Structures are given as structure tokens and as C-alpha cells.
Amino acid sequence: MAAQSTAPAGSVIADAVRASMERSSWIRRMFEEGARLKAEHGADNVYDFSLGNPILEPPPQVRAALQRLVADPTPGVHRYIPNPGLPAVRAHVAAQLAEATGLPYEAGHIVMTCGAAGAVNIALKALLNPGDEVVTLSPYFVEYDFYAANHGGRLVRAETDADFQIDLAALERVVTPRTRALLINSPNNPTGVIYPEASLRALADFLRAAGKRHGRPIFLLADEPYRNLVFDGNTVPWLPPLYEHTLVLTSYSKDLGLAGERIGYVAASPHATEVDALLDAMVLANRVLGFVNAPALIQRVLPLVGDARVDVAYYQRMRDRLLAPLREMGYEVVTPGGAFYLFPKSPIPDDVAFVRAAQAERLLLVPGSGFGRAGYFRISLAVSEDVIERALPVFQRVLAQARG
Ligand SMILES: Cc1ncc(COP(=O)(O)O)c(C=O)c1O
């Protein structure tokens, strides 16, 4: 990404980093204003729907496993471990994936990472040459812009349709011989949509054909930290059985409530092209980006907790507490199938102005512009039920004000 330097003479800050800081400064200012409102009025009098920080505690199995592990007197357990992770932990993840997908995953296909963010970064470092393009479906998690730029790449957006579903025609317009990867996220932050299997099959056919045309496979990077946070009995289709050049990038941040512990992984499909070299490249990336290895203690927890999860039904209850009342008031909202967000249409086209007006009523939201889709706003469901109760009249009031 080209950095426009606005640096004061003699500044020690890199131009590209300064440009990134400036691009994201308006979001930071909104969060700062939220913090100021809480200090002034008390946290209970501010309705904060702006944060994506999972509020549910890890399941009890995690605490029990941690207690067991910290009491383990075996010497050496706190030393460096292999860069790709502990062999037993990688084998555990591989066995889970093999069972879920029917593909022959082995420990060697897994690299343990510092969360999904670490996973996306090592994958992009392994894949991108300077100027290469990574396509993503918009609206999207805006950190992707920075992650692509970290590795000399450029993020290119393909808009989704009115229901935030995949629009192959829009994708076709932006995929070029420079496209190295398509980075997708389902269930999606910020919309909560899940891409159904039929559209993923069509996507796989499209990618296969584009790769053939351009003489090099396009990698599908499936960013899936919300895979297990699904509502109404939904399931999220697995991509590796549909498309051979798939990397699953994920974490336990949301479904085990371990965001602060920085634990996730990359799983390279056993059928991906040059899979061994790609895995070696990601292991090197894990090392040289300074992650070295994903935290060892929390890796050891994973095989001990099996399929334990946070109480996913909680987020569905919060969704239901908000969705119907918001629609009754007149907000237009696509029903999220998972994750923990709602992404309603802003009642006025200028989403930033709407979010500012809501802030004046101590209702904190994030403008859709922050996710590449103006005219919408994001509500996080990672809140307590009483915040929703108290906020409903405020949602009503700001809608009435916006409509003048
Ligand atoms: C879509 C998406 N990808 C990746 C991440 C990063 O997650 P992690 O904490 O596992 O690094 C997030 C976090 O909010 C996210 O929403």
C-alpha cells in the first residue's frame, strides 16, 4: 500500500506506519470518546455495543486444565518449543480436522499460531511477493488491509450482495493475474452471515478456473474464528473438501473465550499445491515475524478440553433480544447466522454521522465505513442482557431523531 507521508520533518516514525495510524485514527477517536463518556456518566449509563471482545468466560474445563498444567513440576515445560507448535497438540488438531472434513490431515499440516491474526499474517508472509493482491469480500475485518500491507501486498475488495452473500460477478471484476489469495471470513465480522455450501462450491469452481487461466493456483484463506459460534442449528461448511488450495486460519479466541491468550492455528489442506514447502514457509514466517512459537502453556490446554465451548446460546439470546425489537422500530437488519454482531442499515446514508448522533445519546456503535461498507453500522452482541434492555429506548430515540 502506498504510504503518503505527512510526517513532520525529522520524524522517526515510518511513513507507512504513520499512514496506517492516520487511516485508523477516526475509529480510535470514537473509542476514546466512548471511554470519556463512561468516565463522565459511569459505565452503567453508557450503552456500549462497539467492542468485539468476547465477554463469555472460558468453560470450566479450561480452568481445570490450566490448574493441572501449572502444578506440573516436569522440568523444561516453559522452554522454547518447536516453531510450528507442540507435536501432540498439532496431532490433536489434525485428528479433529480429519474427522470433520474427511481429509487426511496429519500433525505436519498444522502450524500453531498467536491467534487467527497470527495465522493470517504467517500465511500472507509465505504467499505474497511485493505488489501481489489479496482479494476479500466486503464488508470485512479491516485489519486485513494492514495484514496485507505488512507483507508487501495490497488488499482488494469485492462487494457482496444486498444480503452480504458472495457475488461472483463482483469477484470476477477484481481477480487478476496478481491475485495470490482470496481471504474470506464466515461467519462474518461484521455481518454475521454464513456462506452456504452451494455458493462455496461455485466459488471453488471460479477460483480453479481463474488459477488455471493465470497459470498459478489462487489460495483460499478461510478465516474462521467464529466457526463454532452459530445460531439456529446452523453449520459452517468446510472449505478444504471443496477447494484443494485452502488454508484454514482460526483461533480459540471466541469459542473458548481465550482472546488474550493468543492461540490459534493454520491448517494447510493435504491436497494443496506445494503443501510441504508452504508449511515450511509458514513455520519460518512464525519464527522470523517474532512470534517464534504460539504460547506453550495454552497449547497444552487444548487436547485436555476436547470440544468444550463457551455458552454459544448466550449470543443467540442476545441476538434475539435485539433483532425483533429493532425491526419493529423500523431498522433493516439481515439475520446473522453466527458470530456475535448485527449489521443494520443506517437510517441515514451517512453512517458516521448516525453513529456520532447515537454517541451523543451515550449509545456506542461502529460505523459500517470502518468495515468498508458505508450506510450501515455494527452492533456487538458481546454485551450483558441488561445493557440491551436499557438501550432499546435509545435505539428508538436515535432512529426518530435521524428521521427528523
Ligand atoms: C474476522 C476476524 N479475523 C481475525 C480476528 C483475530 O482474532 P484472534 O484474536 O484469533 O487473532 C478477528 C478478531 O476479532 C476477527 O473478527
Side-chain angles (χ1 to χ4, degrees), residues 52-54 113-120 140-144 147 183-190 223-226 249-254 258-260 262-264 340-341 371 378:
N53 205 350
T113 60
C114 291
V120 178
Y140 65 103
F141 179 54
V142 277
E143 300 297 284
Y144 290 167
Y147 297 165
L183 175 53
I184 71 171
N185 167 229
S186 168
N188 184 263
N189 174 10
D223 179 25
E224 303 190 338
Y226 302 98
L249 317 164
T250 192
S251 74
Y252 300 90
S253 294
K254 323 285 174 176
L258 292 174
R262 313 308 304 136
I263 187 68
F340 47 63
Y341 309 103
F371 303 92
R378 192 190 75 172

Side-chain angles (χ1 to χ4, degrees), residues 85-267:
L86 292 162
V89 177
R90 296 166 75 203
H92 161 76
V93 170
Q96 285 185 322
L97 282 174
E99 191 181 336
T101 64
L103 298 180
Y105 280 99
E106 292 176 1
H109 296 113
I110 312 298
V111 182
M112 303 306 296
T113 60
C114 291
V120 178
N121 274 279
I122 68 166
L124 293 179
K125 178 142 184 97
L127 288 170
L128 298 184
N129 284 316
D132 278 349
E133 293 176 352
V134 179
V135 173
T136 199
L137 305 179
S138 187
Y140 65 103
F141 179 54
V142 277
E143 300 297 284
Y144 290 167
D145 282 305
F146 303 120
Y147 297 165
N150 280 347
H151 310 293
R154 196 168 78 85
L155 194 80
V156 176
R157 307 167 184 181
E159 291 302 323
T160 50
D161 69 15
D163 293 324
F164 309 121
Q165 289 293 337
I166 300 174
D167 177 353
L168 275 187
L171 251 186
E172 211 154 338
R173 286 194 290 275
V174 299
V175 167
T176 74
R178 294 239 71 159
T179 308
R180 293 289 281 133
L182 173 65
L183 175 53
I184 71 171
N185 167 229
S186 168
N188 184 263
N189 174 10
T191 65
V193 303
I194 296 171
Y195 306 131
E197 181 161 336
S199 70
L200 295 173
R201 276 187 192 284
L203 178 71
D205 290 342
F206 166 78
L207 288 177
R208 225 173 261 122
K212 212 170 249 167
R213 239 181 4 260
H214 301 147
R216 183 174 63 176
I218 296 174
F219 266 83
L220 182 54
L221 309 185
D223 179 25
E224 303 190 338
Y226 302 98
R227 160 172 289 279
N228 295 310
L229 301 192
V230 284
F231 311 142
D232 311 320
N234 287 325
T235 54
V236 180
W238 285 99
L239 282 156
L242 305 179
Y243 186 66
E244 50 284 17
H245 312 298
T246 297
L247 304 182
V248 171
L249 317 164
T250 192
S251 74
Y252 300 90
S253 294
K254 323 285 174 176
D255 60 14
L256 279 181
L258 292 174
E261 305 301 342
R262 313 308 304 136
I263 187 68
Y265 63 82
V266 177

